[in-house]
Amino acid sequence: MRISLNWLRELVDCDLSPQELEEKLTMAGFEVESIEDRRTWAEGVVVGHILTADRHPNADKLQVCKVDIGAPEPLQIVCGAANARQGLFVPVATIGTYLPTIDLKLRPTKLRGERSEGMICSLAEIGLAKESSGIHEFPDGLTVGADVRPLLGLDDAILDVTSTANRADALSVVGIAREVAALLGKEVRLPLATKDFQPKVANWVKVEDSKSCPAYIGTLIKGVKVASSPEWLKRRVEAAGMRSINNIVDITNYILLEWGQPLHAFDADTLDKDLNIGVRFAKAGEKIKTLDDVDRTLTNQNFLITSGDKPIAIAGVMGGAETEVSEKTTNIVLEAALFTQVTTRRSARAQGLRTEASARYERGVNQAAIESATAKAIQMIVELAGGEVIEQSVADARSQEVRVIDLRLTKVWQVLGEVDREDESVLPLLSEAEVEQTLKVLSFELEKQPIEEGSYATWKVTVPPYRYADIEREIDLVEEIARIYGYDKFVETLPARTEFGFLSADQEGGRMMRAAFRAVGLTEVMHMSLCSPSESHQVKINNPVAIEYGALRGDLLTNLIDACAFNINQGNGILNGFEIGRVFWLDEAGSDETDRIAGIFGGDPTVGAWQHDSKPLNFYEAKGLLDSVFHNLSVTVEYQPDQKDERLHPGRTASLWISGERLGTFGQLHPQLRAEKELPDEIYVFELDFYTLLDAMMKKSIPTFQSFSTYPSSDRDIAFFAPLKFTVADIQRSITHVGGELLDSVTLFDQYIGKSVPEGSRSLAFRLVYRASDRTLTDADINPVHQKVRDLLEEKFQATLRS
């Protein structure tokens, strides 16, 4: 917000320079983005009186003027302005003056042969207007030679102050004045109204949702005269970055800047004859033309002001064009209201609007200042535009609750630490008196509590209403003490002991997993956790950024499949990627969440490359890629047939298990889904539970080196017919168990289904490798073990041995 230093000094005694004030505010937690020192714009420009204005002998559009600036002799100045004439009082830039707005330093010169000893200025040349049709004309009777800066409001500096989002009170001159007063130990002079008009009480305001609009004050004023604002008001409003429109609108903007309370004036003659002001939510499809001349279709998130149930303004955001105050207006209804932060934010966002009013309502307006701001506005309107205050209708549902927070001196010491004191004999901690004084200058009320023996002071602190938006907890009070007392006055201390940082099990395991997936050629990707609400078990968001981001994702695969299709549509080839992220869901116990790992890969790896002789991955090659990851993580995973996920091929999908606990799913995309997404045939996906995999990794002890056996191995092949209902994984696990220590490995090397194979069965062939670490095995060692394997296959798996 742009703060006028002169305006600020009207409310608090402050003799600091703009630079010193900037330093104070910065140390108190405000950011001063820039200082606009207007005193430099017209330094050396004085009041001049044109004694004569004669036509230039060598130029039709120039005049040679004699100008009195209080010097012994009048200056001769050549002027090209059409309105230059004898008798005018004008601003004159003397020789040596630098005008920064137009980057010009005045020097004696000749124009078409005539001497010119200065320049008669327009407002554009001294920075007060973008364009000027002629030189500026002062009223008669001024002292020639006087500095023009006080006359033009240029004896001022503007500080562009930015506050944090929770400091709604700082979006006003009164709010900044309170801060400056606290920093300097001064008193604030609140700009209260000096007259009480005591309007008649009426009842034409009806608020349908008092939670969204806790208070609304409508004041009917008749007989006003809408005209240009006086110069002082124009300059105040324009210095703050607003455009001067007319006296009524400028007064509402002035109060907005001064008190931080948005106001709006309606042309009363354009409203319902009985006024009938209503405050309600819009019905979807209602329309209104706003002050920016845009026809807007409203949604049910828009909060409205109505008259006779017809929309006349978007509450807290922008007024309607049909009820705008114009030069023809003679009767007005002045609105002052409180709208809640959430309601205003949603309403403004629904129309893509952000205004000075909505910016303040979204942060939270001081609920206790609405009457003071209204009274001041009414007084200014009567004084500057005339009129008579007829009646006032008030709807007030504000809570009278007072916010009280417990504050402990020990908590202040714990958080802030020691104070850097020059006198070492004084305790290097904040005293009770210092804490009380610091909070009192911020208008907090303190009630000291009884102190037990051996304990320290505690207080009941009452928060002023204008700080309800940001002071909620004890730590907020501690922060206020530090801000006002001075951050730079506390000792910089380091912890007595420091510890080396370390990675948690989740972080370390996550890094190992990422490395393993990258090692097999997958690239890590990241997607937003937000998605479109489409299923009942999704966690819905109450205040979504957009409808398509109205829920939290329930799985990772959906985004990966869409990203893969997008990659291919953009001509970038297949996406071989993985993602580690959080998923959310609803169940009977409420909402829940966990971390998962998902990936997608396959397709033709030669797309976009010069090589074209490779083949797409088949199911077993894709499974092998995932097995490589598990091998690198020292985890043993079993595969079981699975058909639960409808997005996957029912005959090429497996559930993954670790020691009887489900890890996740792996499979090929269903042909129907591939066709919908226009994906190639061989696309494989997996989704795993992060913590199940992590637990399995953590259970593995640090691997120890085992020397290779120097004795030869002995291979035995075994072939048989087995019913299809038995999986290879079950058969392989049972063989390994029966084989004991002598069985070094079991490998399937052939599978056949077709001619000469009994119906409902398949031919399988395994290679069993036997080895001992201390001797060369003989048939006497191997045959008993191998016979156990054969018996197992016949008894447990109904196998018909072929060898």
Side-chain angles (χ1 to χ4, degrees):
M1 179 179 173
R2 291 166 60 85
I3 300 293
S4 163
L5 188 56
N6 285 350
W7 197 350
L8 191 66
R9 284 171 174 163
E10 292 178 8
L11 305 184
V12 61
D13 293 328
C14 175
D15 56 1
L16 299 179
S17 69
Q19 290 71 26
E20 291 170 333
L21 182 57
E22 175 193 16
E23 176 68 17
K24 284 280 186 184
L25 290 173
T26 299
M27 294 305 297
F30 296 91
E31 181 181 356
V32 180
E33 295 189 353
S34 64
I35 298 176
E36 187 180 275
D37 194 344
R38 296 190 160 202
R39 297 170 298 183
T40 63
W41 292 5
E43 189 174 1
V45 181
V46 297
V47 176
H49 182 214
I50 300 179
L51 302 177
T52 63
D54 301 324
R55 187 176 297 280
H56 194 291
N58 302 318
D60 294 337
K61 295 185 179 181
L62 298 178
Q63 297 185 71
V64 180
C65 302
K66 293 292 185 180
V67 184
D68 180 13
I69 63 166
E73 296 290 334
L75 302 179
Q76 177 174 300
I77 299 176
V78 178
C79 180
N83 64 326
R85 61 189 183 276
Q86 182 180 350
L88 283 184
F89 285 84
V90 292
V92 177
T94 57
I95 297 301
T97 297
Y98 175 68
L99 300 175
T101 303
I102 58 175
D103 192 22
L104 175 66
K105 185 169 185 177
L106 273 296
R107 296 180 176 86
T109 186
K110 283 189 176 183
L111 294 174
R112 297 288 184 95
E114 293 295 324
R115 187 179 75 257
S116 184
E117 301 169 317
M119 185 172 75
I120 304 174
C121 299
S122 68
L123 291 183
E125 290 160 340
I126 53 181
L128 288 177
K130 291 184 178 180
E131 297 178 354
S132 294
S133 57
I135 58 176
H136 182 63
E137 301 179 15
F138 285 122
D140 294 343
L142 299 181
T143 303
V144 295
D147 193 341
V148 303
R149 289 177 292 182
L151 302 173
L152 297 174
L154 292 177
D155 57 340
D156 196 6
I158 308 296
L159 281 71
D160 193 352
V161 181
T162 301
S163 62
T164 52
N166 62 333
R167 290 300 304 273
D169 62 299
L171 291 177
S172 66
V173 180
V174 168
I176 296 297
R178 286 189 174 115
E179 286 292 322
V180 174
L183 293 169
L184 302 181
K186 306 287 185 179
E187 293 290 330
V188 177
R189 297 182 292 272
L190 292 178
L192 301 172
T194 57
K195 296 180 182 178
D196 185 3
F197 293 91
Q198 295 184 340
K200 185 178 75 172
V201 177
N203 189 27
W204 35 262
V205 170
K206 181 182 178 182
V207 178
E208 292 186 8
D209 188 342
S210 59
K211 290 184 178 180
S212 297
C213 177
Y216 190 101
I217 301 176
T219 307
L220 176 62
I221 306 174
K222 290 188 174 183
V224 299
K225 180 174 176 54
V226 178
S228 294
S229 298
E231 286 299 319
W232 70 267
L233 179 56
K234 278 186 181 180
R235 293 189 185 116
R236 281 273 164 94
V237 170
E238 290 172 349
M242 293 183 171
R243 182 169 56 93
S244 175
I245 297 174
N246 56 52
N247 50 4
I248 301 296
V249 176
D250 288 355
I251 288 169
T252 62
N253 286 334
Y254 180 90
I255 298 299
L256 170 78
L257 297 168
E258 186 174 63
W259 283 95
Q261 171 64 55
L263 303 176
H264 186 71
F266 299 102
D267 186 333
D269 295 329
T270 64
L271 305 179
D272 185 77
K273 65 178 182 178
D274 296 323
L275 298 182
N276 290 329
I277 301 296
V279 186
R280 62 171 174 82
F281 280 99
K283 302 164 188 172
E286 283 188 286
K287 297 182 181 296
I288 185 175
K289 186 175 184 179
T290 46
L291 288 172
D292 54 0
D293 286 329
V294 175
D295 291 310
R296 300 183 182 276
T297 301
L298 304 173
T299 71
N300 52 17
Q301 288 191 328
N302 289 121
F303 205 45
L304 293 183
I305 309 299
T306 65
S307 178
D309 206 38
K310 179 182 178 182
I312 58 173
I314 302 176
V317 181
M318 187 177 288
E322 294 181 4
T323 56
E324 180 181 7
V325 172
S326 66
E327 295 179 356
K328 299 178 182 179
T329 299
T330 56
N331 305 315
I332 65 169
V333 171
L334 180 67
E335 169 195 278
L338 297 175
F339 304 114
T340 59
Q341 296 162 262
V342 173
T343 299
T344 307
R345 189 180 301 116
R346 287 178 178 173
S347 185
R349 184 182 295 163
Q351 294 298 327
L353 287 172
R354 183 172 176 81
T355 61
E356 291 286 347
S358 69
R360 285 161 175 80
Y361 280 125
E362 287 175 15
R363 292 191 180 194
V365 171
N366 177 15
Q367 296 200 9
I370 184 172
E371 289 87 0
S372 299
T374 302
K376 180 69 178 293
I378 292 172
Q379 178 176 319
M380 290 183 67
I381 290 171
V382 172
E383 290 176 352
L384 300 181
E388 179 184 359
V389 183
I390 304 299
E391 59 187 26
Q392 191 173 76
S393 180
V394 179
D396 191 352
R398 283 173 288 180
S399 170
Q400 302 302 316
E401 181 182 354
V402 177
R403 182 174 297 169
V404 179
I405 301 173
D406 292 327
L407 176 65
R408 298 162 292 168
L409 183 60
T410 52
K411 184 66 173 181
V412 176
W413 291 346
Q414 176 190 353
V415 175
L416 300 183
E418 297 183 352
V419 179
D420 189 5
R421 300 191 190 276
E422 294 182 1
D423 188 353
E424 295 184 359
S425 64
V426 180
L427 184 70
L429 294 170
L430 285 176
S431 66
E432 294 180 23
E434 287 172 320
V435 170
E436 291 177 356
Q437 177 62 24
T438 304
L439 289 176
K440 283 179 179 177
V441 297
L442 287 169
S443 300
F444 291 92
E445 296 179 7
L446 286 85
E447 180 184 344
K448 193 172 181 179
Q449 302 301 295
I451 303 175
E452 297 179 2
E453 185 177 350
S455 60
Y456 296 96
T458 60
W459 297 271
K460 294 282 187 184
V461 182
T462 302
V463 181
Y466 61 87
R467 295 300 301 276
Y468 281 4
D470 69 302
I471 303 297
E472 298 177 339
R473 303 171 296 162
E474 182 182 35
I475 192 64
D476 297 328
L477 294 173
V478 176
E479 181 186 6
E480 291 302 294
I481 295 169
R483 282 195 322 108
I484 302 304
Y485 189 82
Y487 289 115
D488 54 334
K489 295 180 181 178
F490 293 94
V491 176
E492 297 177 0
T493 56
L494 293 174
R497 285 185 60 188
T498 58
E499 296 182 0
F500 290 109
F502 63 94
L503 295 177
S504 66
D506 291 7
Q507 292 170 325
E508 186 175 359
R511 290 190 178 190
M512 293 172 63
M513 294 177 198
R514 288 179 169 90
F517 283 110
R518 287 196 299 267
V520 296
L522 301 187
T523 301
E524 184 172 8
V525 299
M526 296 180 69
H527 291 97
M528 284 199 306
S529 298
L530 303 176
C531 65
S532 177
S534 57
E535 299 178 10
S536 60
H537 66 269
Q538 288 180 304
V539 178
K540 307 297 192 302
I541 297 173
N542 290 333
N543 187 25
V545 175
I547 295 176
E548 57 267 29
Y549 301 126
L552 297 173
R553 65 186 176 187
D555 70 287
L556 301 180
L557 277 184
T558 301
N559 283 338
L560 284 171
I561 294 169
D562 290 341
C564 183
F566 181 79
N567 242 36
I568 292 175
N569 290 337
Q570 298 299 309
N572 295 324
I574 191 69
L575 170 66
N576 292 318
F578 74 97
E579 180 173 8
I580 299 179
R582 184 150 296 188
V583 297
F584 311 83
W585 68 93
L586 290 175
D587 54 25
E588 296 176 354
S591 61
D592 206 347
E593 59 187 81
T594 190
D595 290 333
R596 291 202 185 145
I597 313 165
I600 188 167
F601 58 94
D604 187 352
T606 65
V607 172
W610 62 272
Q611 297 170 308
H612 298 287
D613 56 352
S614 65
K615 295 181 180 179
L617 289 177
N618 60 37
F619 179 84
Y620 298 104
E621 290 170 332
K623 174 178 172 293
L625 184 142
L626 202 55
D627 282 336
S628 297
V629 172
F630 297 142
H631 177 76
N632 288 338
L633 298 176
S634 302
V635 174
T636 302
V637 176
E638 297 177 9
Y639 295 78
Q640 297 290 341
D642 190 87
Q643 297 182 1
K644 292 181 180 179
D645 196 328
E646 296 179 353
R647 296 171 297 182
L648 304 183
H649 194 299
R652 299 176 186 175
T653 301
S655 58
L656 281 58
W657 301 79
I658 298 179
S659 302
E661 187 173 359
R662 184 173 180 125
L663 172 63
T665 304
F666 162 73
Q668 185 174 342
L669 282 187
H670 196 287
Q672 184 176 347
L673 179 60
R674 285 192 287 102
E676 292 174 0
K677 300 289 185 180
E678 298 182 355
L679 295 170
D681 292 346
E682 295 78 9
I683 299 293
Y684 304 92
V685 296
F686 62 87
E687 186 158 8
L688 315 174
D689 185 88
F690 177 88
Y691 293 104
T692 301
L693 182 58
L694 180 66
D695 290 345
M697 292 166 53
M698 295 299 106
K699 289 176 183 177
K700 295 289 182 181
S701 59
I702 298 175
T704 56
F705 176 75
Q706 292 181 347
S707 60
F708 292 99
S709 174
T710 58
Y711 298 95
S713 63
S714 178
D715 299 348
R716 298 286 178 93
D717 291 345
I718 186 167
F720 53 89
F721 298 123
L724 290 172
K725 65 181 179 180
F726 298 114
T727 65
V728 171
D730 287 340
I731 296 172
Q732 194 167 1
R733 182 172 57 253
S734 297
I735 292 175
T736 302
H737 178 72
V738 170
E741 295 181 355
L742 295 184
L743 185 59
D744 190 55
S745 65
V746 180
T747 306
L748 175 72
F749 68 86
D750 184 56
Q751 174 184 254
Y752 175 71
I753 300 175
K755 188 177 179 181
S756 302
V757 176
E759 187 176 351
S761 298
R762 56 180 167 176
S763 173
L764 299 175
F766 288 88
R767 177 161 294 148
L768 283 62
V769 178
Y770 297 95
R771 187 196 302 270
S773 60
D774 57 350
R775 67 187 188 279
T776 299
L777 295 177
T778 64
D779 288 343
D781 296 319
I782 297 173
N783 286 342
V785 176
H786 197 66
Q787 185 58 44
K788 288 182 180 180
V789 172
R790 295 169 63 89
D791 295 342
L792 168 78
L793 294 174
E794 289 177 326
E795 295 171 6
K796 184 175 182 179
F797 297 104
Q798 304 169 19
T800 302
L801 298 175
R802 298 171 49 221
S803 61

